[in-house]
Amino acid sequence: MTWSTSLEMLGNGHICDVSALGENPFMLDLGACTGQFLATFKELRPNSSCMCIEADPNNFQHLLHNANSYSKCTFLHGAVIEGEEETVTF
């Protein structure tokens, strides 16, 4: 498989045109799990600002551990849902 120099394969096979992002993009990761996508994104754009949201308590602890060396990142233990539900059950 041949890739353009501006296209990068990110976590789980997602393809992104990183040249369109600039050098200091903002990335919002909803359902950040344990930080695999964050790690790839920060490798490609180390000066990016990131906000990662993860609802599962166990995954959130792993996320904090795995991402403790990244700068300009905010981590929220919570969920983004549609509707007026106030509880997310695992």
Side-chain angles (χ1 to χ4, degrees), residues 3-75:
W3 296 99
S4 162
T5 56
S6 67
L7 293 179
E8 293 287 340
M9 194 159 190
L10 303 178
N12 295 325
H14 299 289
I15 299 171
C16 179
D17 182 355
V18 294
S19 67
L21 298 176
E23 291 301 315
N24 303 304
F26 174 78
M27 187 269 292
L28 176 61
D29 190 354
L30 303 176
C33 199
T34 59
Q36 299 94 331
F37 184 83
L38 173 65
T40 303
F41 194 82
K42 288 299 272 186
E43 183 178 321
L44 294 170
R45 289 295 186 262
N47 294 322
S48 63
S49 297
C50 302
M51 177 178 284
C52 298
I53 301 173
E54 175 55 45
D56 182 271
N58 190 47
N59 285 347
F60 185 72
Q61 290 306 312
H62 287 288
L63 172 63
L64 293 178
H65 174 77
N66 294 339
N68 67 1
S69 65
Y70 298 126
S71 63
K72 298 168 58 173
C73 291
T74 301
F75 303 97

